[in-house]
Amino acid sequence: MPRKAPVDLLLGLLLAGALVVGAAAPASAAYPTLPASDGGQVLSNLSAPVLAPGSSGAFGFRLANPLAGPMTSVTLSFGFYSFVAFPGNASAVPPTGETPTFSGPGTSGTNGSITLASLAAGSSFDVPDDERISVSAPGGAPDGTFALRFALSFTEGSVAYRFESRGFFSDAQWANATLLPNGASTLNLTRLGVSGVLPETAVLVRADTITPILYGILAASLVLAAAGGYVAWRRGPGSRSGERPAPRPQSAPSAFGKSRTSDGD
């Protein structure tokens, strides 16, 4: 009787090895990557108000096209995703019923979006005054900062691109794409699966909007809020390989840095 067991065992080991190699291979990016500096160019002039509970203010931004061709089917979405109470520095999910809400075209509660049919190369778009977006804090809103994340999708030619801000990635995903084995900073867009990283901002709610301490908090918030800050500071077109070094080591650009306890979606 032929002995087939060794042959079957060998085939099984080869198949298992192939599966392991396949699992270890890096996943390809879901979207083609663009120069790291593009993230700070396509979304800029972020302006989020400082609100007292029960008040409202204007929310604004600028969309620009730094690419060689026109952007089409442009959609910018935004929404609150994390909250840091004051005093304190631990982040949490925004409290239900107490988070600021948007009003205006394309908005619904704590989220909103703006769509454009096209945006010519080298041009920019600011929300018109008659279509301005308002953000209001409920009367029972707690003191603290409410972080806003952004996502931008568009097509150039026949290629689809997508940008996302820090709030869309978990801590593990972000660390895997921004830290080298020696601890230095980098930005590997291929690992994040996006074309670029957008900045972020936050709405500050404070019952007493006059005290000097408010302005210190606001200043710190704005400095920490620019997700992809070092991306925006880069000069030159950069590489399109998906991985590029940062100009200097620094913490992950987020409204709440490493204090976040709630991972992105």
Side-chain angles (χ1 to χ4, degrees):
M1 180 177 179
R3 300 178 61 185
K4 296 183 179 181
V7 175
D8 293 341
L9 178 60
L10 178 59
L11 291 175
L13 291 174
L14 290 174
L15 177 59
L19 291 175
V20 170
V21 171
S28 59
Y31 294 92
T33 61
L34 289 170
S37 59
D38 284 358
Q41 295 181 51
V42 296
L43 181 64
S44 62
N45 287 14
L46 293 172
S47 60
V50 178
L51 301 175
S55 68
S56 62
F59 165 66
F61 50 81
R62 171 174 294 170
L63 279 176
N65 181 0
L67 307 183
M71 292 179 175
T72 58
S73 302
V74 182
T75 299
L76 177 72
S77 58
F78 49 89
F80 293 105
Y81 77 95
S82 191
F83 169 71
V84 171
F86 175 78
N89 61 1
S91 62
V93 175
T96 302
E98 298 177 339
T99 300
T101 57
F102 298 103
S103 61
T107 64
S108 177
T110 60
N111 298 282
S113 65
I114 285 204
T115 59
L116 300 174
S118 64
L119 191 61
S123 66
S124 61
F125 169 83
D126 293 276
V127 180
D129 289 340
D130 58 349
E131 296 181 9
R132 64 185 304 176
I133 299 171
S134 176
V135 57
S136 303
D143 287 3
T145 50
F146 292 82
L148 274 167
R149 63 184 180 182
F150 297 83
L152 175 69
S153 61
F154 62 90
T155 299
E156 184 198 20
S158 59
V159 181
Y161 297 91
R162 182 173 175 85
F163 287 70
E164 293 179 351
S165 69
R166 171 65 177 90
F168 282 91
F169 308 107
S170 68
D171 290 340
Q173 288 175 316
W174 188 257
N176 183 50
T178 60
L179 291 178
L180 295 173
N182 63 0
S185 296
T186 185
L187 181 59
N188 190 318
L189 296 174
T190 302
R191 291 185 177 180
L192 293 177
V194 295
S195 303
V197 175
L198 297 175
E200 289 186 347
T201 189
V203 171
L204 175 62
V205 175
R206 180 71 172 161
D208 181 1
T209 59
I210 305 301
T211 57
I213 193 172
L214 165 70
Y215 297 99
I217 298 170
L218 177 59
S221 171
L222 293 177
V223 169
L224 297 176
Y230 65 84
V231 174
W233 296 334
R234 288 179 56 87
R235 296 181 179 178
S239 167
R240 293 179 182 267
S241 64
E243 182 172 4
R244 43 192 66 83
R248 59 180 180 179
Q250 62 183 44
S251 60
S254 167
F256 304 113
K258 295 182 178 180
S259 67
R260 294 172 62 250
T261 58
S262 175
D263 286 345
D265 291 344

